[in-house]
Amino acid sequence: RQSDRAACDAAIALARGLGIKSVAEGVETAEQATYLQEAGCDLLQGYFLMKPLANDELNEFMDLTDTRQLARLWLNE
Protein backbone atom coordinates (compact mmCIF):
# COMPACT_ATOMS: atom_id res chain seq x y z
CA ARG A 1 0.00 0.00 0.00
CA GLN A 2 1.07 3.53 -0.70
CA SER A 3 0.61 4.57 2.94
CA ASP A 4 2.93 1.74 4.08
CA ARG A 5 5.59 2.86 1.60
CA ALA A 6 5.28 6.46 2.75
CA ALA A 7 5.73 5.42 6.40
CA CYS A 8 8.79 3.31 5.53
CA ASP A 9 10.32 6.08 3.45
CA ALA A 10 9.78 8.59 6.26
CA ALA A 11 11.31 6.28 8.89
CA ILE A 12 14.35 5.56 6.70
CA ALA A 13 14.82 9.27 5.95
CA LEU A 14 14.52 10.12 9.66
CA ALA A 15 17.14 7.51 10.60
CA ARG A 16 19.47 8.74 7.88
CA GLY A 17 18.97 12.35 8.98
CA LEU A 18 19.82 11.41 12.56
CA GLY A 19 22.88 9.46 11.45
CA ILE A 20 21.60 6.12 12.72
CA LYS A 21 20.96 2.82 10.97
CA SER A 22 17.44 1.87 9.93
CA VAL A 23 16.17 -1.63 10.72
CA ALA A 24 13.07 -3.15 9.14
CA GLU A 25 11.55 -5.88 11.29
CA GLY A 26 8.94 -8.38 10.21
CA VAL A 27 10.06 -8.72 6.58
CA GLU A 28 8.04 -11.63 5.24
CA THR A 29 8.26 -11.46 1.44
CA ALA A 30 10.83 -10.96 -1.30
CA GLU A 31 8.82 -7.96 -2.50
CA GLN A 32 9.13 -6.29 0.92
CA ALA A 33 12.85 -7.04 1.12
CA THR A 34 13.49 -5.64 -2.36
CA TYR A 35 11.50 -2.48 -1.69
CA LEU A 36 13.24 -1.83 1.64
CA GLN A 37 16.70 -2.39 0.18
CA GLU A 38 15.96 -0.08 -2.75
CA ALA A 39 14.56 2.52 -0.32
CA GLY A 40 17.90 2.52 1.52
CA CYS A 41 17.03 0.54 4.64
CA ASP A 42 20.26 -0.58 6.31
CA LEU A 43 19.19 -3.84 7.95
CA LEU A 44 16.34 -6.31 7.45
CA GLN A 45 14.97 -8.88 9.87
CA GLY A 46 12.12 -11.30 9.50
CA TYR A 47 10.80 -14.70 8.57
CA PHE A 48 11.64 -14.19 4.89
CA LEU A 49 15.34 -14.06 5.79
CA MET A 50 15.36 -16.74 8.48
CA LYS A 51 12.75 -18.65 10.42
CA PRO A 52 12.74 -18.39 14.21
CA LEU A 53 15.09 -20.91 15.80
CA ALA A 54 14.80 -22.95 18.98
CA ASN A 55 17.53 -22.26 21.54
CA ASP A 56 19.66 -25.27 20.54
CA GLU A 57 19.29 -24.42 16.84
CA LEU A 58 20.28 -20.81 17.54
CA ASN A 59 23.41 -21.88 19.42
CA GLU A 60 24.41 -24.22 16.58
CA PHE A 61 23.79 -21.47 13.99
CA MET A 62 25.85 -18.97 15.97
CA ASP A 63 28.72 -21.44 16.33
CA LEU A 64 28.69 -22.23 12.61
CA THR A 65 28.62 -18.63 11.43
CA ASP A 66 30.92 -16.87 13.92
CA THR A 67 27.89 -14.80 14.92
CA ARG A 68 29.03 -14.76 18.53
CA GLN A 69 32.28 -13.08 17.50
CA LEU A 70 30.42 -10.59 15.30
CA ALA A 71 28.01 -9.79 18.15
CA ARG A 72 30.91 -9.13 20.52
CA LEU A 73 32.54 -6.82 17.97
CA TRP A 74 29.26 -4.98 17.44
CA LEU A 75 28.81 -4.56 21.20
CA ASN A 76 32.47 -3.51 21.59
CA GLU A 77 33.14 -6.26 24.12
Side-chain angles (χ1 to χ4, degrees), residues 51-64 68:
K51 70 178 180 92
L53 300 175
N55 193 38
D56 58 332
E57 292 174 310
L58 177 60
N59 283 323
E60 182 178 335
F61 173 78
M62 291 178 78
D63 289 341
L64 291 173
R68 289 184 202 283

Side-chain angles (χ1 to χ4, degrees), residues 18-30:
L18 294 171
I20 60 176
K21 291 197 180 286
S22 55
V23 180
E25 296 186 0
V27 179
E28 296 184 3
T29 67

Side-chain angles (χ1 to χ4, degrees), residues 25-37 44-52:
E25 296 186 0
V27 179
E28 296 184 3
T29 67
E31 181 182 7
Q32 290 172 338
T34 299
Y35 173 77
L36 290 162
Q37 287 177 314
L44 307 178
Q45 178 276 324
Y47 196 86
F48 173 70
L49 301 165
M50 185 170 197
K51 70 178 180 92

